[in-house]
Amino acid sequence: MSLYFISDLHLQTDKPCITQGFVSYIAALPDDAEALYILGDFFEYWVGDDDRNDLIDQVQTTLSALKKRGVTLYFQHGNRDFLLGKQYADRCGMTLLDEEHVIDYDGTRYLLMHGDSLCTSDTEYMAFRQQSRNPEWQAMMLSLSLEERHALAKNVRDTSQTETRMKADDITDVTQAAVEERMRANDVQQLIHGHTHRPKQHEFNLSESSATRHVLGDWSDTNGWDIRLSANGVVLNKFAHTDHTS
């Protein structure tokens, strides 16, 4: 049996091609799929489980159907959808994971993360991250009207995109020291994450042994990325959405 990992789809109503690509991807998951791990930034932004629209309902229907096929679903929060809660997860049949989660597959331990907490050189974002993960701040946000939450979320997104374009690449990428520190703390030699939109498999030495950091890519109107973990190892895969259409 195989485990599948995706992240950074940034699903949104004005990009229907990505949504259709996701629906087709789910429908085409092979019978060997034991579990699907969604490692954050699944939605472009999330303002609360009380929000409803056609996209949110379509994703729920798609994931519920996959759950009925016997595939176990897991969700890890990203920097865009950290307010996604148990109510919506339950409706989809997903189990919420902590921001650092270790799995054991065939005797090897893998650390799963969204990846934003590893970008420690981006001090402005790290300050916002600390604030936005505060339960009191989240409760305050969720107490606002849906209209107010949508307006705030769009403003934060637009500001973030503008600031990111102005930052050097090494600022918005993970720092190796943070990677190694979290891997040592979790006693792993393998890390799977998203967030940076820089898909690659990085090999390095950690505690005098070989280690690998597997980075998922973000989805576009034409392409998606996943990782398949099986008896053959870890495979990072880029695919065209048309690969999954009939």
Side-chain angles (χ1 to χ4, degrees), residues 27 32 42 61 68 75 91 93 114 130 142 144 162-163 203 230 238 243 246:
D32 79 333
F42 187 37
T61 299
K68 290 178 181 178
F75 180 86
R91 296 207 306 262
H114 175 59
Q130 182 176 12
L142 293 173
L144 302 175
T162 299
E163 291 178 347
E203 296 184 356
S230 69
K238 181 181 181 180
D243 293 344
S246 57

Side-chain angles (χ1 to χ4, degrees), residues 30-145:
D31 293 337
D32 79 333
E34 177 180 349
L36 174 68
Y37 290 81
I38 302 171
L39 304 185
D41 283 6
F42 187 37
F43 291 92
E44 175 67 353
Y45 62 84
W46 189 266
V47 299
D49 291 2
D50 55 336
D51 193 22
R52 298 294 293 266
N53 59 36
D54 289 344
L55 168 63
I56 290 171
D57 290 343
Q58 183 180 19
V59 170
Q60 176 185 328
T61 299
T62 301
L63 289 175
S64 296
L66 183 61
K67 177 74 172 181
K68 290 178 181 178
R69 284 176 50 191
V71 179
T72 306
L73 306 177
Y74 298 98
F75 180 86
Q76 197 168 49
H77 294 105
N79 54 293
R80 299 297 186 93
D81 45 23
F82 54 85
L83 286 177
L84 193 149
K86 190 175 185 301
Q87 182 181 0
Y88 185 70
D90 287 347
R91 296 207 306 262
C92 296
M94 300 187 297
T95 297
L96 296 177
L97 301 178
D98 292 336
E99 66 178 37
E100 295 184 8
H101 182 78
V102 175
I103 61 173
D104 188 300
Y105 185 89
D106 198 25
T108 299
R109 289 165 55 84
Y110 296 83
L111 173 60
L112 311 180
M113 304 178 68
H114 175 59
D116 59 321
S117 63
L118 301 171
C119 299
T120 55
S121 292
D122 192 346
T123 54
E124 291 180 353
Y125 170 70
M126 294 302 288
F128 170 75
R129 187 182 191 281
Q130 182 176 12
Q131 177 192 56
S132 63
R133 298 308 191 275
N134 185 305
E136 293 182 0
W137 185 91
Q138 294 186 2
M140 178 275 294
M141 281 291 295
L142 293 173
S143 71
L144 302 175
S145 68

Side-chain angles (χ1 to χ4, degrees), residues 102 109-111 182-184 186-190 206:
V102 175
R109 289 165 55 84
Y110 296 83
L111 173 60
R182 297 321 303 156
M183 291 180 73
R184 288 194 183 96
N186 286 279
D187 189 27
V188 300
Q189 300 296 122
Q190 302 287 323
L206 179 67

Side-chain angles (χ1 to χ4, degrees), residues 111-245:
L111 173 60
L112 311 180
M113 304 178 68
H114 175 59
D116 59 321
S117 63
L118 301 171
C119 299
T120 55
S121 292
D122 192 346
T123 54
E124 291 180 353
Y125 170 70
M126 294 302 288
F128 170 75
R129 187 182 191 281
Q130 182 176 12
Q131 177 192 56
S132 63
R133 298 308 191 275
N134 185 305
E136 293 182 0
W137 185 91
Q138 294 186 2
M140 178 275 294
M141 281 291 295
L142 293 173
S143 71
L144 302 175
S145 68
L146 277 172
E147 291 76 13
E148 290 172 316
R149 280 180 264 160
H150 274 286
L152 282 171
K154 290 177 181 177
N155 181 63
V156 170
R157 177 197 61 185
D158 294 345
T159 300
S160 173
Q161 290 176 341
T162 299
E163 291 178 347
T164 298
R165 285 193 291 267
M166 298 174 64
K167 294 175 180 176
D169 286 348
D170 61 337
I171 297 295
T172 57
D173 201 357
V174 303
T175 60
Q176 185 64 19
V179 168
E180 295 181 10
E181 191 273 331
R182 297 321 303 156
M183 291 180 73
R184 288 194 183 96
N186 286 279
D187 189 27
V188 300
Q189 300 296 122
Q190 302 287 323
L191 167 63
I192 299 175
H193 73 83
H195 178 66
T196 63
H197 300 186
R198 300 171 187 182
K200 189 175 179 180
Q201 293 174 296
H202 302 265
E203 296 184 356
F204 54 97
N205 290 322
L206 179 67
S207 301
E208 300 182 354
S209 298
S210 61
T212 309
R213 178 168 65 92
H214 311 271
V215 188
L216 284 156
D218 60 311
W219 290 36
S220 70
D221 286 342
T222 57
N223 297 284
W225 290 86
D226 73 357
I227 281 176
R228 181 189 181 199
L229 175 57
S230 69
N232 295 323
V234 181
V235 177
L236 175 65
N237 179 44
K238 181 181 181 180
F239 52 85
H241 293 320
T242 54
D243 293 344
H244 300 299
T245 58

